[in-house]
């Protein structure tokens, strides 16, 4: 029988049945200390973006939430999560070399032609948005507007939402955690395969190299510059790959989160989560991180992963 006494938090049995693990009555204080420590880290070091930092802060979050629980409860996080993080570390650093693994030439002009076709042969969507939201000409040095804060926050959420959802599911229900993490990792690995086979440059790089006549500055960290966090995307670039743009995993994983939510919940309000990939798409195009065709490819990949993994799970359960 499940223990429902106050002061206890959910734990998992191997069968996926939710039990309760004891925690101290001081756990709210532990959560507050964790929040202050994370805030101090962000201000002094920067926002966590790589898997090592994410692993450490997620583990600390669980320790704070289950403060006072036995050590075996806290060590269960490492036992369950290390394979997933090993895959993410391999993905992150392999992604940085994906265009060099088999020597496929970088593609520059295809997405330019497609995006111009989408606008009837006129200016690129990125140029249109930068003219409308930044100015003509649009300069990186311009002061950010209120919507830049929103769009930069949505852009960064890519590094938090997918794993954050997994963390919540791990605490609540191991079966759901496995199902979501399978889709999340499949999405990342599928994107890596495409990066290897079809390296493609984003708009900001194509503009910099002269493939696009118009100036399209990369505005990604623009919204957080007033609080000293505008350079987080520069840190990502040190281990990333500037020609791993097709498909957009920022757009694809945002759509994967939305599709998962719509599929799992029954509330009529669940459809509002589709605003997340739409706002993410706006940020990606406006900031010159991706073409529209990259985002459409990411959305298509998300749908394919949802359907494909779902069918694989159905066959596995039937067997």
């Amino acid at each position: 029988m499940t223990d429902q006494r106050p002061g206890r938090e959910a734990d998992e049995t191997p069968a996926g049945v939710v039990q309760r693990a004891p925690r101290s009555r001081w756990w709210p204080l532990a959560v507050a200390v964790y929040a202050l420590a994370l805030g101090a880290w962000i201000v002094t070091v920067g926002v966590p973006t790589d898997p090592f930092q994410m692993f450490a802060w997620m583990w600390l979050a669980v320790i704070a939430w289950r403060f006072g629980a036995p050590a075996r409860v806290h060590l269960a996080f490492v036992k369950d999560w290390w394979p997933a993080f090993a895959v993410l570390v391999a993905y992150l650093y392999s992604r940085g070399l994906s265009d060099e693994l088999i020597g496929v030439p970088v593609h520059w002009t295809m997405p330019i032609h497609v995006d111009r076709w989408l606008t009837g042969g006129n200016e690129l969507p990125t140029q249109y948005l930068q003219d409308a939201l930044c100015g003509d000409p649009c300069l990186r040095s311009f002061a950010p507007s209120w919507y830049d804060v929103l769009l930069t926050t949505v852009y960064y959420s890519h590094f938090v939402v997918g794993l954050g959802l997994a963390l919540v599911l791990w605490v609540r229900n191991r079966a759901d955690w496995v199902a979501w993490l399978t889709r999340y990792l499949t999405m990342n690995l599928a994107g890596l395969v495409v990066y290897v086979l079809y390296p493609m440059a984003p708009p900001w790089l194509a503009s910099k190299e002269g493939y696009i006549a118009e100036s399209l500055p990369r505005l990604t960290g623009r919204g957080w510059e007033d609080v000293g966090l505008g350079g987080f995307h520069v840190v990502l670039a040190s281990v990333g790959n500037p020609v791993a743009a097709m498909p957009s995993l920022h757009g694809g994983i945002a759509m994967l989160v939305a599709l998962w939510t719509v599929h799992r919940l029954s509330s009529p309000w669940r459809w509002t989560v589709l605003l997340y990939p739409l706002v993410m798409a706006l940020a990606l195009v406006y900031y010159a991180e991706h073409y529209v065709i990259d985002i459409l490819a990411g959305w298509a990949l998300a749908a394919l992963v949802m359907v494909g993994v779902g069918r694989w799970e159905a066959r596995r359960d039937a067997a």
Side-chain angles (χ1 to χ4, degrees):
M1 180 176 179
T2 303
D3 185 350
Q4 300 292 344
R5 286 176 290 171
R8 292 176 177 266
E9 177 51 36
D11 193 13
E12 297 274 0
T13 68
V17 178
V18 177
Q19 291 185 338
R20 293 282 171 175
R23 61 178 178 178
S24 168
R25 70 175 184 271
W26 298 106
W27 71 266
L29 178 61
V31 171
V33 171
Y34 168 82
L36 290 173
L38 179 58
W41 177 278
I42 291 173
V43 171
T44 58
V45 179
V47 290
T49 51
D50 67 77
F52 299 103
Q53 293 183 25
M54 294 298 294
F55 181 89
W57 284 108
M58 289 171 64
W59 190 16
L60 289 174
V62 173
I63 292 174
W65 183 255
R66 293 176 165 176
F67 185 73
R72 63 176 177 80
V73 174
H74 300 310
L75 292 176
F77 179 89
V78 179
K79 179 182 177 182
D80 287 348
W81 278 87
W82 78 260
F85 274 93
V87 171
L88 290 175
V89 169
Y91 158 77
L92 180 64
Y93 289 96
S94 298
R95 178 179 181 270
L97 300 172
S98 59
D99 60 318
E100 302 176 2
L101 295 178
I102 60 176
V104 176
V106 175
H107 295 78
W108 298 87
T109 59
M110 183 279 290
I112 299 173
H113 296 322
V114 173
D115 269 30
R116 288 196 190 279
W117 174 80
L118 290 173
T119 60
N122 299 315
E123 62 187 20
L124 290 168
T126 296
Q127 182 188 0
Y128 174 79
L129 288 175
Q130 290 194 351
D131 289 349
L133 301 177
C134 174
D136 184 11
C138 175
L139 300 179
R140 186 73 169 77
S141 58
F142 286 175
S145 301
W146 66 267
Y147 46 78
D148 289 300
V149 179
L150 170 65
L151 295 177
T152 297
T153 302
V154 171
Y155 177 89
Y156 173 71
S157 70
H158 166 79
F159 305 100
V160 178
V161 170
L163 289 176
L165 174 58
L167 183 63
V168 171
L169 293 174
W170 182 80
V171 171
R172 293 177 60 87
N173 187 292
R174 180 179 171 84
D176 285 346
W177 169 71
V178 171
W180 165 249
L181 203 58
T182 300
R183 288 160 174 79
Y184 181 77
L185 295 178
T186 300
M187 185 80 182
N188 280 276
L189 294 177
L192 177 61
V193 171
V194 180
Y195 297 153
V196 171
L197 299 177
Y198 196 87
M200 197 186 82
W204 67 267
L205 184 57
S207 175
K208 181 180 178 181
E209 296 298 324
Y211 288 90
I212 299 174
E214 301 85 2
S215 174
L216 300 177
R218 190 181 193 185
L219 306 174
T220 312
R222 169 184 174 89
W224 285 4
E225 287 180 345
D226 287 347
V227 293
L229 300 175
F232 70 88
H233 63 291
V234 177
V235 177
L236 294 176
S238 64
V239 293
N241 185 345
V243 295
M246 169 65 80
S248 167
L249 283 188
H250 269 75
I253 289 179
M255 180 58 75
L256 189 70
V257 169
L259 294 176
W260 169 271
T261 303
V262 169
H263 176 67
R264 289 283 171 158
L265 300 183
S266 58
S267 168
W269 290 99
R270 71 189 189 277
W271 295 100
T272 59
V273 77
L274 291 173
L275 290 173
Y276 178 47
L278 292 176
V279 177
M280 178 68 79
L282 175 64
L284 296 172
V285 176
Y286 168 44
Y287 287 154
E289 288 287 350
H290 284 283
Y291 297 96
V292 173
I293 186 60
D294 306 345
I295 299 167
L296 294 177
W299 289 356
L301 181 60
L304 182 63
V305 168
M306 281 293 294
V307 173
V309 174
R311 290 183 176 179
W312 172 77
E313 289 171 340
R315 289 196 299 268
R316 178 201 61 192
D317 295 342

